Amino acid sequence: MLLPGATLGVLGGGQLGRMFCVAARTMGYRIVVLDPDPRSPAGRIADQHIQADYTDPAALKTMADSCDAITTEFENVPADSLRYLASFRPVHPSADNVEIAQNRVREKNFAQSAGLQAAPFHPINSTDDLPVAAETVGFPGILKTSTLGYDGKGQAVVENLQQLQQAYEQMQGVACVLEKKLPLKQEISVLLARNEDGEIDCYPPAENEHRNGILHQSIVPARVSPAIIKQAQQKAIDLAHQMDYTGVLAVEFFITEDKQLVFNEMAPRPHNSGHYTKDAAVTSQFEQQVRVMCGLKPGDCRLISPVVMINLLGDLWHPDWSQLFNEPNIKLHLYGKDEARPGRKMGHYNVLSEKLDDAIQTAAKVFQKLSK
Ligand code: ADP
Ligand code: MG
């Protein structure tokens, strides 16, 4: 068990790493961040910022030497770097688990083996695979790169074989997967924390709305039936146990028009749709990350207020913050990024109200004012 005073390392210095650092420091831990960017959001608030590439052996060794345990803020850190670190220090989540989440084909296969239902899919490794993929999956479909996709990047909706061929050409030969495009009623995500002893706690699902492939808002509790909530939580828990997962895990689900719960993807880390936990849950997802990597019990995932989280992207910079601060029940979180670019996540705000509908309305009203 690692207690306050210990030093925790995180690979990646983006906003997730930064919020992890804040939680860890609040709890009395020292923090080391590895990130090549000299101005990374987490690096600038860490006790130590190792400014180097994620594959730099000397930097990794320095990190191992200075940390008691290590975690990651993103799934695209090279698994071999995690393996190397794990030869010196506890690393959570494990390289094996991160590797599953890095690849859409691997994660769908794994989820199915754990009893979750995925949309029909077929891997594509060359143009030869296109006709059989079209045949097995059908149209409309979504062609996705198997790795490195985020915020809807590396995806194309295709209506027929010709469009599929064109879209695949544009992916420039990288491994892809064709997925059936499902008629969606809603999207939800389930977040949980599990420690090495298999102790687990699960948050209530968030209902997520995307705009242009990027999360716009999360509404909690999700406006879905109790049966769906229970089923989604159980499936996420099954998945975590099956992976023997240690860490914070996010699982995204579709709810189809005919009310089927379908696995979409997972993230082996805190998730954008879990930012509401910073203000509206007993334990934030970042505190959970600290707790479980330190071998502590997961904290209470209970929701203490209905909440709506709205993402603030670089498209609307600089907003008139006074509009936001006029509302006494809004909590602003900014990530300390110098440069605002369209689609770049700059921060978020959480609206807490006794009634969920009030939170939804206030969130939308303020977003509109900020967008002017
Ligand atoms: P990312 O890694 O960018 O989050 P996702 O696979 O989660 O990629 O896709 C982004 C969004 O695109 C989803 O949240 C959903 O709105 C839509 N989408 C993705 N796959 C499907 C699908 N099979 N059917 C319908 N909509 C989908
Ligand atoms: Mg997603």
Side-chain angles (χ1 to χ4, degrees):
M1 211 191 274
L2 295 173
L3 295 172
T7 300
L8 308 180
V10 59
L11 293 155
Q15 67 267 17
L16 299 177
R18 179 181 171 104
M19 289 184 270
F20 166 80
C21 288
V22 171
R25 288 195 131 186
T26 303
M27 294 162 78
Y29 293 87
R30 289 189 74 254
I31 294 298
V32 177
V33 169
L34 174 64
D35 188 304
D37 179 0
R39 287 138 74 92
S40 75
R44 47 173 67 179
I45 63 160
D47 291 282
Q48 189 187 346
H49 176 189
I50 305 171
Q51 216 179 291
D53 197 80
Y54 301 115
T55 53
D56 181 333
L60 292 169
K61 184 66 172 57
T62 305
M63 184 169 213
D65 288 343
S66 44
C67 296
D68 297 297
I70 294 160
T71 189
T72 179
E73 67 137 20
F74 70 130
E75 57 272 36
N76 292 320
V77 54
D80 282 341
S81 297
L82 295 175
R83 274 196 192 97
Y84 176 72
L85 289 166
S87 66
F88 303 101
R89 293 285 181 264
V91 174
H92 299 299
S94 69
D96 287 356
N97 281 338
V98 170
E99 219 161 34
I100 293 171
Q102 279 175 350
N103 183 296
R104 293 190 189 277
V105 175
R106 242 182 266 145
E107 77 182 343
K108 286 181 205 298
N109 281 327
F110 193 94
Q112 286 183 334
S113 74
L116 286 75
Q117 186 198 338
F121 70 97
H122 198 277
I124 297 173
N125 295 307
S126 77
T127 46
D128 294 347
D129 297 329
L130 296 174
V132 55
E135 185 71 23
T136 37
V137 173
F139 294 103
I142 304 185
L143 182 70
K144 301 181 182 179
T145 57
S146 294
T147 61
L148 302 174
Y150 70 100
D151 288 345
K153 292 188 175 55
Q155 299 194 10
V157 175
V158 289
E159 302 289 345
N160 52 48
L161 182 58
Q162 198 195 352
Q163 286 184 6
L164 174 61
Q165 284 161 336
Q166 282 167 355
Y168 181 65
E169 229 166 77
Q170 298 203 328
M171 303 291 189
Q172 301 185 321
V174 300
C176 288
V177 57
L178 180 67
E179 244 176 76
K180 180 96 177 168
K181 184 172 189 290
L182 302 173
L184 305 188
K185 184 161 178 275
Q186 280 161 309
E187 293 187 68
I188 60 171
S189 54
V190 174
L191 199 66
L192 58 79
R194 184 182 187 273
N195 68 14
E196 230 174 344
D197 295 332
E199 291 177 295
I200 202 162
D201 200 4
C202 191
Y203 290 97
E207 177 186 345
N208 301 322
E209 184 203 323
H210 297 84
R211 291 189 183 170
N212 304 316
I214 306 177
L215 184 67
H216 168 62
Q217 70 172 344
S218 294
I219 297 171
V220 194
R223 294 163 299 175
V224 299
S225 72
I228 286 275
I229 289 176
K230 211 169 140 202
Q231 192 192 356
Q233 288 181 317
Q234 190 56 54
K235 293 292 178 193
I237 288 170
D238 291 348
L239 189 60
H241 284 317
Q242 192 74 28
M243 292 168 88
D244 196 16
Y245 187 85
T246 301
V248 173
L249 180 71
V251 186
E252 294 181 19
F253 293 98
F254 301 133
I255 300 170
T256 59
E257 295 284 6
D258 57 354
K259 301 204 175 90
Q260 295 294 307
L261 184 73
V262 177
F263 168 84
N264 175 25
E265 61 172 353
M266 63 173 122
R269 51 166 171 81
H271 194 256
N272 194 167
S273 67
H275 290 350
Y276 77 86
T277 63
K278 286 169 67 77
D279 298 308
V282 175
T283 312
S284 85
Q285 59 173 346
F286 301 100
E287 182 180 345
Q288 298 285 27
Q289 190 176 17
V290 174
R291 291 176 76 107
V292 292
M293 78 182 286
C294 289
L296 310 173
K297 255 183 194 312
D300 192 344
C301 286
R302 191 162 40 91
L303 192 68
I304 47 186
S305 167
V307 58
V308 174
M309 189 262 351
I310 302 271
N311 262 343
L312 294 165
L313 304 181
D315 310 51
L316 49 94
W317 229 246
H318 293 269
D320 175 8
W321 296 124
S322 66
Q323 298 292 347
L324 186 146
F325 289 122
N326 278 339
E327 303 291 336
N329 57 337
I330 296 191
K331 312 281 278 187
L332 176 66
H333 302 262
L334 294 179
Y335 306 147
K337 296 182 181 177
D338 293 331
E339 198 194 333
R341 291 190 298 268
R344 189 176 198 206
K345 290 172 182 169
M346 304 297 288
H348 67 269
Y349 61 89
N350 288 327
V351 186
L352 281 73
S353 293
E354 274 174 40
K355 291 202 183 91
L356 182 61
D357 279 345
D358 293 343
I360 292 171
Q361 273 169 29
T362 303
K365 181 185 76 184
V366 170
F367 184 72
Q368 205 171 28
K369 286 184 179 166
L370 292 176
S371 305
K372 275 188 186 141

